[in-house]
Amino acid sequence: MHSPQKCLADTNYNALAPTQPHAQQRILFHVPPPTRRQVFKARDPRSPVPRADLGTAANARTSIGPASRLDGFGRIFSIFGRRVESRPVHHCTGLAWIWRHQGPDVDHYVFADYLGDLDFLLDHFEATLGCKTFNVLGHSMGGNVAMMYAGIQEARIHKLINLEGFGMPATRASMAKGRYRRWLDELKALDQQSLALKPYANLNDVAKRLMKNNPRLKEDFAHWLASQWACPLENGEWRLKARAAHKVVSAQLYRLDEMQEIFKGITAPTLCVHSSDLQLDRWWKGTYTFDQYQERLQAVAHLSQTQVKESGHMLHHDQPQALAQVVEAFLAQ
């Protein structure tokens, strides 16, 4: 029975307790998102990260270093963690990060803030674990952040794994006026509640929506996933653990020339993983294609790629075992 709760800000985002053999060897830190003015106090190594379990951190150093995993929009740690825990991982510390779009309320998000949040997070664990470099894995939006960060703070990244973080369609300077006008219009729409996230009548409806989005989901897993992805309200409805403000378009254009220069700065061995469904072309309806994504990746110096068969964008749901094998093999090289 799910008890009603205040959705989002009061939601408990602590990691699920590991349940598989060897799970104690892959310590999972789960950090709630900071506000804009309270990016957590990582400047001071004496300041603990809220709700992070650092009890076994002293024993977490390994030959390949810690691994930070960055989610995409609307994802939460337990969704990824349960699937990956279906396969024992013997040799990495996991630093699981929830983006600020699932935290305290604001009216829009600035992409650069994600880079700042990650930088402060790694500062904290550098001081805590005594390590200088990290293996970083990002999915979807988290993959985009990981790629950017690896090209900007290249000295901090040991290895980089990008799961379906494709970037955005290229833009032109002439689009700036229209983009700012759209951004202003959407701020007002958000304020008037017209961008509010749709509530669901019950948990079963949330599960049905997930299965509609991803036909490969089994019903039992979809129901568990729904319970992690959404939370009950006082009136019995369910609402997603995300912020409607993320639906507001970015005021800044996606500048491909700038992004290519950042990609040139990536020095870490990089693995880009994509699904067999190749949904990118369908998402952008010809304005951005998988072939164009491949052209952009040519700027990355030490690049390898692989495809996970029988999977879509949520490839960690569809083929967790195959994905875990790919990740393990890359980190072991």
Side-chain angles (χ1 to χ4, degrees), residues 7-8 197-200 206 229-231 238-243:
C7 219
L8 306 168
L197 297 175
K198 171 190 171 184
Y200 293 85
V206 181
W229 196 43
C231 63
W238 286 70
R239 182 171 297 166
L240 302 187
K241 296 176 181 177
R243 291 295 186 187

Side-chain angles (χ1 to χ4, degrees), residues 23 41 101 151 172 183 193 203 220 222 230 238 248 272 290 292:
K41 302 173 183 178
H101 59 245
R172 303 180 304 276
W183 178 72
Q193 302 295 312
L203 184 62
D220 58 342
W238 286 70
V248 174
C272 290
F290 186 76
Q292 290 173 325

Side-chain angles (χ1 to χ4, degrees), residues 22-317:
H22 310 292
Q24 70 275 11
Q25 294 175 287
R26 43 186 303 276
I27 299 93
L28 299 169
F29 299 102
H30 200 213
V31 185
T35 64
R36 186 175 303 280
R37 298 180 65 86
Q38 187 195 354
V39 177
F40 66 85
K41 302 173 183 178
R43 287 191 179 92
D44 182 356
R46 296 168 297 177
S47 299
V49 177
R51 291 205 293 271
D53 179 8
L54 304 180
T56 52
N59 299 319
R61 299 181 183 88
T62 69
S63 59
I64 63 168
S68 179
R69 184 187 54 71
L70 313 177
D71 287 317
F73 168 63
R75 323 290 193 256
I76 60 174
F77 161 75
S78 53
I79 293 172
F80 197 104
R82 173 163 165 167
R83 302 305 278 176
V84 173
E85 282 184 6
S86 67
R87 177 178 179 82
V89 177
H90 304 281
H91 51 248
C92 73
T93 300
L95 312 177
W97 179 246
I98 291 285
W99 295 119
R100 57 177 63 220
H101 59 245
Q102 289 170 267
D105 208 2
V106 296
D107 63 4
H108 72 286
Y109 297 94
V110 179
F111 207 83
D113 280 328
Y114 299 132
L115 299 173
D117 294 348
L118 176 57
D119 202 47
F120 281 110
L121 177 72
L122 297 189
D123 282 350
H124 177 86
F125 285 108
E126 180 176 336
T128 302
L129 301 178
C131 51
K132 297 292 185 182
T133 61
F134 296 81
N135 299 314
V136 174
L137 180 153
H139 172 249
S140 194
M141 188 189 78
N144 295 329
V145 176
M147 292 285 285
M148 290 183 66
Y149 189 84
I152 296 166
Q153 294 282 59
E154 63 272 20
R156 306 194 82 170
I157 306 303
H158 180 65
K159 288 188 176 181
L160 171 64
I161 303 172
N162 175 14
L163 311 180
E164 296 244 321
F166 297 122
M168 304 286 285
T171 61
R172 303 180 304 276
S174 60
M175 297 177 175
K177 176 181 176 180
R179 175 62 66 86
Y180 278 111
R181 179 175 290 170
R182 178 184 168 189
W183 178 72
L184 292 170
D185 289 344
E186 291 185 2
L187 287 181
K188 292 178 182 177
L190 181 72
D191 185 62
Q192 295 164 4
Q193 302 295 312
S194 60
L195 291 183
L197 297 175
K198 171 190 171 184
Y200 293 85
N202 50 55
L203 184 62
N204 189 54
D205 283 356
V206 181
K208 287 180 179 178
R209 173 58 187 271
L210 287 168
M211 289 187 286
K212 180 180 179 181
N213 290 350
N214 183 2
R216 289 188 177 91
L217 281 183
K218 302 296 184 183
E219 187 172 355
D220 58 342
F221 179 59
H223 276 269
W224 177 86
L225 191 61
S227 72
Q228 305 299 305
W229 196 43
C231 63
L233 304 177
E234 294 287 348
N235 64 0
E237 293 182 326
W238 286 70
R239 182 171 297 166
L240 302 187
K241 296 176 181 177
R243 291 295 186 187
H246 195 84
K247 297 168 71 173
V248 174
V249 71
S250 172
Q252 286 77 42
L253 297 176
Y254 185 88
R255 301 300 298 257
L256 180 57
D257 55 346
E258 294 178 1
M259 202 59 57
Q260 289 300 98
E261 291 302 314
I262 290 174
F263 281 10
K264 290 177 184 177
I266 298 174
T267 58
T270 300
L271 173 65
C272 290
V273 184
H274 56 268
S275 67
S276 57
D277 286 0
L278 294 181
Q279 295 169 293
L280 176 64
D281 292 355
R282 186 170 74 250
W283 292 340
W284 294 109
K285 300 178 181 179
T287 60
Y288 179 35
T289 67
F290 186 76
D291 288 342
Q292 290 173 325
Y293 168 65
Q294 291 296 305
E295 292 175 5
R296 296 180 186 186
L297 290 180
Q298 292 178 17
V300 180
H302 306 289
L303 176 70
S304 57
Q305 296 190 68
T306 191
Q307 181 185 84
V308 176
K309 296 180 180 179
E310 297 297 323
S311 68
H313 183 59
M314 305 299 283
L315 65 179
H316 53 295
H317 295 168

